Amino acid sequence: MIAKHMKELTESGSAIRAMFEEGKKMARERGKDHVFDFSLGNPNTPPPEKIKEAAIAILQEEDPIRLHGYMSNVGYEEVRDQVAQNLNRRFGTALTREHLIMTVGAAGSLNIALKTIIEAGDEVLLLAPFFGEYIHYMQNYQGVPVIVAPDIPNFSLNLTDIESKITAKTKALIINSPNNPTGVIYPPADIERLAQLLRQKEKEYGHAIYLISDEPYREIVFDGAAVPFLPQYYDNTFVCYSYSKSLSLPGERIGYLLIAPTMDAFEEVAAAAAVAIRILGFVNAPSLMQQVIGRCADALSDMTVYKENKEILYRELTDMGYAMVEPQGAFYMFPQSPTADETVFCEAAKEYGILVVPGRTFACPGYFRLAFCVAKQTVQGALPGFKALMERFGH
Ligand code: PLP
């Protein structure tokens, strides 16, 4: 018999994944030109050519026993060196391989960070709207999610509510910028205020409060927006990074965990994280992909289509009357639903072949998420449907 909590999880499922499956089914039934699937953050731009070349070269050049064998749980040293150098060039930091663990995407990285610090009953602040998987990741370690109310309509950091939700049990806060689902980037002044608040609360409660920065969208920014590098603002920072989006490699499951050199008891935390990756069953990040990253640490996918899609959708949808914050980064937008119950809107959207995700999946009902990492034809093809939906539900 399966575990009770797994039974509940299996029955409730993931709304986003369910939509993705539904999209595939609709495409079979209606033909894929009549389905406009904005459900999943699956990049629709190929990885840079360099990735394929590197993978082929590695398979041809590297010693197969070393390449395919077990390794240090934290990953290849030379790969971590390359990643550290890439970060140092961009942020003027002095990171080394010691600060990095190669991981199975950001999901792996988040789980390692949480496993390292969370005891049963510890509270972790989640800033609504947020990536719904955080709740499950936290519950893996009997952490308690504490939801900070969204700052409507701007979706900036709700520092007042963050302050009111921090208690003696608060162990961490997860922050995600550029944000899924809003596309908001938190500006340096807000990050500075958050860091000050956390430092003050650390002092008050006499223990570390970790900032876990989930950054799969760091490089996807529009109009030159800058994303603050959190280890430069706050000592007890973990950065959970993924190459899923910047290099269009979500199926390859590759990312890293960065432990800020300034973290309290750094050596102890790093050693515990190295155990966590092993005992969570990841053991280490995929070896071929690690080596690819080592050779392509500076590469990026061509993201022109995201910018074009964002501009078309933002212009057209706002013209139709949809209210939203203009995304500054990532490849999502989070318009207000024209019906109070956004699940009604999302269901109705399917009639027009449009798949979008209800805001409650992100702990923010009344809104819906659109992932615009899709082909431009999908965006163009969906516009009449969005117009019809506004005419039907708008007032
Ligand atoms: N965090 C956020 C905010 C995401 O949107 C995603 C994936 O979409 C992840 C983490 C997981 O990333 P990965 O697939 O690289 O593990």
Side-chain angles (χ1 to χ4, degrees):
M1 186 153 94
I2 63 170
K4 232 190 299 156
H5 66 274
M6 285 311 297
K7 197 163 167 25
E8 284 156 21
L9 282 176
T10 313
E11 278 159 10
S12 61
S14 152
I16 300 177
R17 286 274 160 185
M19 285 257 174
F20 180 60
E21 294 306 326
E22 192 158 353
K24 287 198 291 190
K25 187 165 157 263
M26 278 165 67
R28 277 194 304 274
E29 287 167 4
R30 304 181 188 197
K32 64 178 178 16
D33 292 347
H34 302 284
V35 177
F36 312 104
D37 187 351
F38 298 95
S39 64
L40 195 64
N42 206 7
N44 186 50
T45 189
E49 197 54 24
K50 220 177 147 186
I51 297 287
K52 185 167 78 189
E53 288 162 9
I56 293 168
I58 291 161
L59 286 166
Q60 282 167 343
E61 290 163 16
E62 295 288 329
D63 168 11
I65 295 177
R66 179 169 188 264
L67 175 62
H68 299 298
Y70 283 125
M71 70 182 80
S72 163
N73 299 132
V74 292
Y76 289 114
E77 291 181 352
E78 73 274 15
V79 173
R80 287 152 53 225
D81 286 344
Q82 290 300 330
V83 174
Q85 283 162 25
N86 167 274
L87 293 170
N88 293 341
R89 277 192 294 278
R90 293 160 64 198
F91 304 113
T93 41
L95 299 165
T96 70
R97 67 174 76 144
E98 303 307 324
H99 307 118
L100 289 158
I101 299 179
M102 299 309 292
T103 63
V104 174
S109 185
L110 286 159
N111 273 277
I112 295 164
L114 292 167
K115 174 85 176 163
T116 302
I117 57 171
I118 298 298
E119 313 230 26
D122 281 349
E123 294 176 353
V124 179
L125 266 55
L126 304 178
L127 316 181
F130 58 83
F131 180 56
E133 298 294 272
Y134 293 158
I135 300 258
H136 305 305
Y137 298 164
M138 204 162 318
Q139 287 168 348
N140 286 341
Y141 316 104
Q142 282 110 54
V144 179
V146 173
I147 297 179
V148 171
D151 176 31
I152 288 174
N154 298 322
F155 296 116
S156 42
L157 278 184
N158 189 347
L159 288 159
T160 315
D161 202 44
I162 292 174
E163 182 166 9
S164 78
K165 299 267 165 72
I166 297 177
T167 71
K169 288 189 185 163
T170 306
K171 197 58 161 301
L173 179 152
I174 302 183
I175 187 167
N176 167 226
S177 169
N179 184 265
N180 172 10
T182 62
V184 164
I185 296 175
Y186 303 125
D190 286 4
I191 297 293
E192 188 51 62
R193 278 198 285 276
L194 173 67
Q196 268 171 23
L197 172 64
L198 294 180
R199 277 193 290 271
Q200 178 202 320
K201 294 288 177 183
E202 282 189 325
K203 240 197 222 146
E204 188 178 329
Y205 293 119
H207 61 78
I209 300 177
Y210 298 95
L211 189 56
I212 301 179
S213 182
D214 178 24
E215 323 196 329
Y217 305 100
R218 164 167 287 283
E219 291 80 13
I220 308 178
V221 294
F222 307 119
D223 307 318
V227 184
F229 188 57
L230 269 51
Q232 291 171 321
Y233 291 78
Y234 188 67
D235 288 349
N236 287 324
T237 296
F238 291 99
V239 175
C240 299
Y241 184 80
S242 168
Y243 294 95
S244 296
K245 319 287 172 164
S246 60
L247 289 174
S248 312
L249 296 171
E252 300 296 349
R253 315 303 308 133
I254 187 75
Y256 61 75
L257 174 68
L258 164 62
I259 304 171
T262 48
M263 186 168 285
D264 295 352
F266 171 84
E267 305 286 338
E268 194 182 23
V269 174
V275 173
I277 189 171
R278 192 189 84 227
I279 66 176
L280 285 171
F282 299 122
V283 184
N284 55 254
S287 55
L288 174 60
M289 272 304 129
Q290 282 195 49
Q291 296 237 357
V292 168
I293 295 301
R295 292 190 188 205
C296 305
D298 296 333
L300 282 179
S301 293
D302 177 0
M303 301 181 194
T304 322
V305 67
Y306 303 150
K307 184 174 163 52
E308 289 171 355
N309 287 350
K310 189 271 287 187
E311 280 171 5
I312 299 169
L313 279 166
Y314 180 70
R315 187 186 60 236
E316 297 291 329
L317 295 189
T318 46
D319 274 0
M320 290 173 200
Y322 290 91
M324 75 182 97
V325 177
E326 182 170 2
Q328 297 166 289
F331 41 50
Y332 305 104
M333 50 181 62
F334 200 54
Q336 190 173 10
S337 164
T339 54
D341 181 346
E342 85 284 7
T343 60
V344 172
F345 177 85
C346 296
E347 270 309 304
K350 289 180 196 164
E351 293 170 30
Y352 304 87
I354 296 175
L355 288 160
V356 287
V357 183
R360 62 196 57 198
T361 311
F362 307 91
C364 192
Y367 289 77
F368 65 94
R369 187 193 77 172
L370 231 142
F372 55 80
C373 48
V374 295
K376 219 180 189 167
Q377 304 88 282
T378 306
V379 168
Q380 298 286 10
L383 294 176
F386 279 116
K387 192 161 194 307
L389 283 159
M390 184 49 99
E391 279 161 10
R392 183 162 149 193
F393 290 110
H395 33 232

